[in-house]
């Protein structure tokens, strides 16, 4: 629920313009073909713009004063009161203002930076690019008062070539202005709706609420790093890598695209972790042969997990009489993924997901990227013996994905397709946007060895008839974009009614027996969970992942016999699920992902006390009793693997 929107002279037709402003601002810029992650190289420089930005929420009744008064045309501080706002971070929990905590509509950010003169000079001058790791949900960006990019979607990067703007402006000042709107509509991803409360005897004037069908807080803001980076005027735009392997030989197939000029030469060198060149190639398309390769293995599946090679791509090109050189280095993990009717295979060996679901969520910063928190989470994952997680329910930051590549954490990479519950969410407008989001996600993460499967949605209303065409289309599109990985979505529908399940490669099913169903009755779990697995497998003959299960527990609340919300009940529920999983993982169940890794914030409601408490860790990352149950289990499963050397079979090494 929202606090009352500020008053004003606007009539009742003003507020409905909010979603219209969100979705129909003209001139939406198409995304570039390539979105290589910014890196410092001999030919490229990057500069992060984190820290304090000027911030102003548009509190006008229609949330449109910023556009009507053109706040982007001058420094934001000249338009009215501004406050300091950290970037990256959600804006909701930073201040003591309850209206900002629950604010829906346009907010404005601004940062003024001085650019190095070497970025503005030269013949030809370097290309200067402004990139946002993510901003939730809809963004319009100006540089020095000139609009440079728009982007819809809250969890993937977008960027703009701002060379002509900054090189054509006097001096080296770069004023970046961002208008950001977190409104969700039936056609956004995730979807939502704005509800207007017209009963003036019960609600203040212009009162409205943002309704959603998902169970996490709709945090908003510039959530991931903002970066300025340079490339030569002719540059490497995109790289696509796929790998095949055997014990003695691996093949790295590559495709490189170049923009700005026809490359005079394009050479590639693949180096191992000691810097030794193990393969070379040239030209935009080809393959590299690697003898006796070090394969990329998941954590606890090999004594040296997460092995990464470095693929250096070097381009030389003539442009306007000048010889330009661009260099980009891409981490490469050599591994294969294959699915049979009962197994999930990595490098030809059966892989069992013993992992977690997570959220980008923490105190104060909300969904903002935070390095101490990221490292704490990865240390807890390794302590737990978890080899995987699902990016529930949206793509996570590139920085997090980098660590998954390096540490060997397998990832089910999920789109923001959560809360797709109503018939109108399955229409063509929603479908086209969903397809575009999958294109952005695959483009960003296609080269990551840690990404072993795409998930296009979580708990949609897949029992509705339009879901058949919708998910057939989205899954086929994702497979066309990337034929090398399996594709799924996560269902909580009845096996006999799910219209999307025929199109997935792996069945991912969520169930909360003895919690949302038969609450308090732990004794029903063995029968109901066994029936769940057997019904799904008999119907589809596909491997199954228990993609969610769990129970809320309030830290420090104890009960014996176990009662709901106590730590003992959470432990007991896990053990009941595990007894069935131990039987079925010998057949066709290929994974289990606890809900959830840590407690997280949700909208206020009668079933949530300061958020969802299903974490095995608190929101501050302290273990509940269930964490030790899961830790003992995951290390036992890992130790059963015959491919682990003796040094790894003792988890004391990872304390």
């Amino acid at each position: 629920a929202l606090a009352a929107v500020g008053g004003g002279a606007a009539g009742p037709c003003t507020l409905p313009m909010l979603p219209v402003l969100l979705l129909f601002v003209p001139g939406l810029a198409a995304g570039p073909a390539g979105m290589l992650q910014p890196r410092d190289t001999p030919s490229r420089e990057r500069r992060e713009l984190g820290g304090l930005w000027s911030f102003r929420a548009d509190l006008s009744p229609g949330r449109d004063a910023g556009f009507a008064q053109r706040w982007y045309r001058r420094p934001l501080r000249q338009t009215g009161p501004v406050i300091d706002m950290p970037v990256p971070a959600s804006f909701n929990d930073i201040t003591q203002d309850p209206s900002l905590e629950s604010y829906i509509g346009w907010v404005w950010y601004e940062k003024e930076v001085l650019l190095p003169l070497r970025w503005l000079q030269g013949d030809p001058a370097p290309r200067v690019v402004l990139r946002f790791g993510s901003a939730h949900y809809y963004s319009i960006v100006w540089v020095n008062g000139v609009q440079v990019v728009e982007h819809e979607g809250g969890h993937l990067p977008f960027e703009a070539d701002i060379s002509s703007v900054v090189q054509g402006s006097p001096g080296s000042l770069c004023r970046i202005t961002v208008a950001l709107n977190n409104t969700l509509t039936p056609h956004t991803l995730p979807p939502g709706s704005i509800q207007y409360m017209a009963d003036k005897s019960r609600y203040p004037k212009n009162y409205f609420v943002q309704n959603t069908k998902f169970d996490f807080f709709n945090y908003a803001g510039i959530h991931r790093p903002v970066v300025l980076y340079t490339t030569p005027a002719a540059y490497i735009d995109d790289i696509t890598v796929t790998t095949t392997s055997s014990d003695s030989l691996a093949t790295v197939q590559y495709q490189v695209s170049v923009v700005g000029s026809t490359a005079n030469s394009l050479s590639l060198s693949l180096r191992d972790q000691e810097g030794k060149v193990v393969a070379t190639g040239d030209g935009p398309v080809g393959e590299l042969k690697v003898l006796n390769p070090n394969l990329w293995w998941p954590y606890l599946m090999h004594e040296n997990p997460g092995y990464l090679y470095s693929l250096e791509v070097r381009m030389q090109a003539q442009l306007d009489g000048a010889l330009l050189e661009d260099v980009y280095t891409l981490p490469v993990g050599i591994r294969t993924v294959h699915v049979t009717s009962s197994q999930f295979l990595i490098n030809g060996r059966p892989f069992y997901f013993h992992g977690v679901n997570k959220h980008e969520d923490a105190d104060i910063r909300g969904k903002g990227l935070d390095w101490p928190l990221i490292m704490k989470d990865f240390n807890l994952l390794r302590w737990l013996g978890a080899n995987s997680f699902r990016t529930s329910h949206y793509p996570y930051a590139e920085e997090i994905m980098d660590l998954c590549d390096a540490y060997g954490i397998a990832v089910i990479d999920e789109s923001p397709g959560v809360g797709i519950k109503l018939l109108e969410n399955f229409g063509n407008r929603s479908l086209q946007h969903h397809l575009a989001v999958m294109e952005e996600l695959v483009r960003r993460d296609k080269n990551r060895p840690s990404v072993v499967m795409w998930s296009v949605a979580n708990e949609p209303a897949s029992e509705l008839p339009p879901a058949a065409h919708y998910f057939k289309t989205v899954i086929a599109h994702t497979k066309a974009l990337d034929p090398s990985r399996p594709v799924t979505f996560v269902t909580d529908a009845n096996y006999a009614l799910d219209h999307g399940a025929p199109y997935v490669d792996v069945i991912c099913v969520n169930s909360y027996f003895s919690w949302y169903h038969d609450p308090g009755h732990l004794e029903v779990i063995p029968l109901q969970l066994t029936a769940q697995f057997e019904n799904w497998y008999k119907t589809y003959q596909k491997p199954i992942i228990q993609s969610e299960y769990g129970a809320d527990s309030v830290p420090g609340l104890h009960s014996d016999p176990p009662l709901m919300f106590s730590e003992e009940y959470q432990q007991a529920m896990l053990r009941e699920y595990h007894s069935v999983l131990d039987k079925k993982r010998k057949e066709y169940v290929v994974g289990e992902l606890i809900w959830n890794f840590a407690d997280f914030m949700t909208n206020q409601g009668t079933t949530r006390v300061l958020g969802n408490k299903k974490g095995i860790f608190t929101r501050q990352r302290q273990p509940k009793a269930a964490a030790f149950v899961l830790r003992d289990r995951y290390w036992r499963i890992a130790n059963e693997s015959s491919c682990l050397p003796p040094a790894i079979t003792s988890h004391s090494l990872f304390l």
Side-chain angles (χ1 to χ4, degrees), residues 20-31 67 106 138-142 146-152 158-160:
V20 176
L21 275 175
L22 172 62
L23 292 175
F24 294 108
V25 180
L28 179 63
F67 292 97
W106 292 101
Y138 193 95
S139 305
I140 307 175
V141 182
W142 297 261
V146 178
Q147 183 175 326
V148 295
V149 69
E150 300 179 31
H151 183 258
E152 180 181 354
F158 58 97
E159 63 182 29

Side-chain angles (χ1 to χ4, degrees), residues 11 24 45 97 106 135 141 167 180 204 410 535 541 591 614 644 655:
F24 294 108
E45 292 185 66
D97 184 350
W106 292 101
V141 182
Q167 290 163 2
L180 184 62
N535 288 332
Q541 298 290 303
K614 290 189 180 67
L644 284 174
L655 296 179

Side-chain angles (χ1 to χ4, degrees), residues 243-251 289-297 301-302 309 334-336 346-349 643:
T243 64
T244 59
S245 66
S246 65
D247 289 339
S248 59
L249 180 66
T251 300
K289 302 289 188 181
V290 184
L291 294 175
N292 302 314
N294 292 299
L295 301 184
W296 186 95
W297 289 100
M301 200 173 178
H302 190 269
Y309 291 85
I334 298 174
R335 63 106 184 91
T336 59
I346 294 181
N347 298 329
R349 295 183 184 174
C643 61

Side-chain angles (χ1 to χ4, degrees), residues 215 356-359 390 392-393 414 418 457-459 490-492 508-513 516 529 532-533 545-551 577 581 591-596 600 612 614:
D215 187 33
V356 303
N357 294 277
K358 292 181 90 276
H359 265 297
R390 174 168 62 118
S392 48
H393 300 295
E414 189 161 273
V418 58
N458 176 74
E459 294 186 357
V490 176
T491 183
D492 64 348
C508 288
V509 58
N510 295 348
S511 60
Y512 289 89
F513 303 125
Y516 295 123
L529 186 58
Q532 168 199 278
F533 287 139
I545 295 175
Q546 183 68 45
S547 42
E548 288 184 25
Y549 70 105
Y577 264 80
L581 286 164
E592 55 191 77
L593 305 176
I594 189 71
W595 189 269
N596 191 281
F600 57 92
N612 190 307
K614 290 189 180 67

Side-chain angles (χ1 to χ4, degrees), residues 72-95:
Y72 53 87
R73 297 292 295 271
R74 52 185 173 148
L76 192 61
R77 61 185 177 275
Q78 296 180 8
T79 69
V82 297
I83 62 173
D84 289 333
M85 184 63 64
V87 171
S90 302
F91 63 71
N92 307 80
D93 295 344
I94 300 298
T95 74

Side-chain angles (χ1 to χ4, degrees), residues 495-568:
Y495 76 97
L497 303 176
D498 194 310
H499 294 294
Y503 308 107
V504 304
D505 297 304
V506 176
I507 301 291
C508 288
V509 58
N510 295 348
S511 60
Y512 289 89
F513 303 125
S514 84
W515 190 259
Y516 295 123
H517 311 283
D518 299 296
H521 293 278
L522 294 164
E523 65 275 10
V524 307
I525 293 176
L527 178 64
Q528 294 184 4
L529 186 58
T530 299
Q532 168 199 278
F533 287 139
E534 292 179 350
N535 288 332
W536 277 104
Y537 193 73
K538 181 180 179 180
T539 304
Y540 290 105
Q541 298 290 303
K542 297 175 182 179
I544 300 172
I545 295 175
Q546 183 68 45
S547 42
E548 288 184 25
Y549 70 105
D552 285 79
S553 67
V554 177
L557 184 63
H558 297 287
S559 173
D560 186 24
L563 297 179
M564 292 178 69
F565 293 97
S566 69
E567 293 197 44
E568 287 76 16

